[in-house]
Amino acid sequence: MQSHNDVQLSYTMLHDLLDDLQRRTLQVFGCPIRLFVHGGAVIILHSELSASSTRRTTRDIDYIRRAFGHEWRKKGVYDAEDRLQSCIEATAHKFRIGTDWMNADADVALPFARDPRGRIYDPIYYDSKQPNNVDMNTIYSSPGLTLISVTMFWGVSLKLVRYRKEDPTDIVAMLRHGT
């Protein structure tokens, strides 16, 4: 199975992949899971952002693995990341695309912060799980899987760190949408 995905994923293809993935995750986890995502897929899947952007394809969906793992470790599940990766790989195999069609490669560069008591926390995850962000930026919802975009502030920040040729129009769309 190839690891690198070279297939450009449209809105329809992203939904087909996610529909398959959610069936797998529901079977493996026995309940819905949620993932916090960022990058080009957010622009395509978010109804308001896609309306103000020319982007129509992406190569992948970037998700925050460490946030997913944190949520499941709090529930006493310590192999959730591996279970999810198996589901991602099975979906890739079915659609004959690279296994990194959904990945957390950017996690290594994501910041941590300290709260007023000096405890380390994940500011992207903390901001993204707030009810107002969940309400405004849930971009995919099904019985087994929900995708929530990181806040637009963090989305723009992550785009600026990595900066690619399609990023200026993505950034403008996110700034117009706000938080």
Side-chain angles (χ1 to χ4, degrees):
M1 185 178 333
Q2 67 185 35
S3 61
H4 184 70
N5 179 45
D6 290 320
V7 176
Q8 288 296 312
L9 309 174
S10 66
Y11 177 89
T12 302
M13 182 67 166
L14 286 167
H15 269 270
D16 290 345
L17 290 164
L18 292 169
D19 289 346
D20 183 79
L21 180 65
Q22 73 89 22
R23 283 189 288 280
R24 295 175 192 280
T25 58
L26 188 57
Q27 184 175 31
V28 167
F29 289 93
C31 64
I33 67 167
R34 71 178 182 175
L35 298 173
F36 294 95
V37 298
H38 58 94
V42 169
I43 304 299
I44 296 164
L45 294 172
H46 195 295
S47 60
E48 291 181 33
L49 296 179
S50 65
S52 59
S53 174
T54 57
R55 179 189 277 260
R56 295 295 174 252
T57 62
T58 186
R59 192 191 61 75
D60 61 5
I61 298 174
D62 301 295
Y63 78 100
I64 303 178
R65 180 182 171 114
R66 70 186 192 193
F68 176 73
H70 173 76
E71 287 187 345
W72 282 89
R73 281 187 294 281
K74 285 184 0 185
K75 297 176 183 181
V77 178
Y78 297 95
D79 65 344
E81 294 106 321
D82 293 336
R83 290 184 195 186
L84 175 59
Q85 188 60 43
S86 294
C87 294
I88 291 168
E89 289 173 4
T91 295
H93 182 73
K94 176 181 177 181
F95 286 88
R96 296 189 163 127
I97 61 173
T99 56
D100 70 344
W101 74 271
M102 179 173 269
N103 69 77
D105 293 348
D107 273 20
V108 297
L110 301 180
F112 283 102
R114 291 192 182 272
D115 69 15
R117 293 184 173 169
R119 294 176 297 205
I120 294 175
Y121 76 102
D122 181 342
I124 299 173
Y125 169 60
Y126 178 81
D127 291 348
S128 299
K129 70 179 182 169
Q130 298 307 308
N132 65 324
N133 187 68
V134 172
D135 290 343
M136 289 178 61
N137 295 314
T138 294
I139 60 171
Y140 176 84
S141 185
S142 64
L145 175 65
T146 299
L147 297 186
I148 303 161
S149 170
V150 299
T151 64
M152 294 301 115
F153 168 83
W154 283 113
V156 169
S157 298
L158 295 169
K159 287 277 184 189
L160 290 172
V161 167
R162 184 188 46 96
Y163 209 73
R164 294 203 175 129
K165 68 178 171 68
E166 51 277 315
D167 289 342
T169 57
D170 291 355
I171 291 168
V172 168
M174 286 187 274
L175 290 173
R176 283 186 182 143
H177 179 61
T179 51

